[in-house]
Amino acid sequence: MREVDAALSELPADFASVTGERLVNLITRFRDHPGLEHLLNRLDERERRHNPAWDWRQLETDQDRQITNLIASGMDQLDAYAQVYRMDVDDLHRQQARAHLHAQRLPGERVDALVRRLYGEWIEAQFLAAEHATRGVLVNKRGRAQGVDGRSLLHGSPRRAAAYASEELKAWWHDHPRLTLTEFRAQLLHRDADVKAARRHQEDRT
């Protein structure tokens, strides 16, 4: 897991000088990454080199146990954390979104370019899934007569998509909602301005 090892190399060798906040940020950064377990194992190994008797269970607090119980009852992890520590859950979601984006950011890549790249990757995945589900019937008769490309219906103007999408594609959208770039950006960044812009897009469609 090169990304995990690179992130660990950013930390000093002595864990005593590493703040808990920095470790939490590191773990949050890889929360949805397949290398999370590898990261946690490496952190355990690294700590035991300085303290052979170390056991992460010794660090468990009453708050940790409350969070564990809430998650076991079905509550979302961030919601549980926010409830126990009386924090703003929306702010936590924004922090998580920023950490998740940071993990995928290329060197020198600006946030807007990153969002556009991820949106393009998401559109391609949506296209493949929709094509499979509809057996390739993405465009209606009117759209085929005008040479409309089915992939183009997955982004851009909602009105154009509604005009040329096949009934099969519209049925697929019912369970796999179509997102404009503005809506996608709002879901990724959770910024107030983006959320408001996405809400206006949704209102314009109704």
Side-chain angles (χ1 to χ4, degrees):
M1 294 292 180
R2 294 180 180 178
E3 292 177 78
V4 171
D5 291 335
L8 284 168
S9 69
E10 300 171 5
L11 300 178
D14 182 7
F15 265 29
S17 62
V18 181
T19 64
E21 181 181 3
R22 192 169 179 184
L23 287 176
V24 169
N25 288 339
L26 177 62
I27 294 171
T28 301
R29 174 176 164 186
F30 288 93
R31 180 186 176 195
D32 298 318
H33 191 280
L36 177 59
E37 184 176 356
H38 176 64
L39 169 65
L40 295 176
N41 288 338
R42 288 291 305 278
L43 289 173
D44 283 347
E45 292 170 5
R46 193 166 174 178
E47 183 65 20
R48 277 194 290 270
R49 283 201 296 269
H50 297 279
N51 181 11
W54 185 82
D55 184 348
W56 65 268
R57 296 175 186 81
Q58 296 173 356
L59 304 178
E60 191 174 36
T61 64
D62 289 339
Q63 289 87 347
D64 293 331
R65 285 185 282 274
Q66 290 177 44
I67 292 171
T68 299
N69 291 336
L70 288 172
I71 293 172
S73 71
M75 184 177 288
D76 175 79
Q77 183 176 354
L78 282 184
D79 290 342
Y81 188 90
Q83 178 173 312
V84 170
Y85 286 99
R86 299 181 181 180
M87 299 178 69
D88 185 336
V89 69
D90 291 334
D91 186 51
L92 287 180
H93 279 290
R94 282 191 288 269
Q95 291 180 33
Q96 182 190 45
R98 284 194 292 269
H100 182 66
L101 281 176
H102 180 74
Q104 301 179 74
R105 196 170 181 177
L106 300 175
E109 188 174 34
R110 293 181 177 275
V111 171
D112 188 60
L114 169 61
V115 171
R116 289 180 178 276
R117 176 170 63 81
L118 294 180
Y119 182 63
E121 294 173 1
W122 182 78
I123 288 294
E124 184 61 23
Q126 290 290 97
F127 170 70
L128 295 175
E131 190 174 48
H132 175 75
T134 63
R135 298 182 180 179
V137 184
L138 300 177
V139 183
N140 60 23
K141 183 177 180 180
R142 179 186 171 195
R144 290 195 298 272
Q146 297 190 30
V148 172
D149 179 8
R151 183 186 274 100
S152 71
L153 299 179
L154 300 177
H155 58 90
S157 168
R159 292 181 180 177
R160 179 177 180 276
Y164 296 126
S166 66
E167 292 303 316
E168 291 87 346
L169 179 56
K170 290 178 180 178
W172 186 79
W173 276 333
H174 180 75
D175 296 319
H176 307 83
R178 184 181 182 277
L179 294 177
T180 63
L181 175 60
T182 299
E183 292 165 335
F184 185 82
R185 182 185 290 110
Q187 288 193 11
L188 276 186
L189 302 179
H190 293 274
R191 295 184 305 201
D192 289 341
D194 295 315
V195 171
K196 290 177 181 177
R199 190 175 296 123
R200 284 196 296 271
H201 271 224
Q202 294 164 359
E203 291 172 351
D204 290 342
R205 289 203 295 266
T206 59

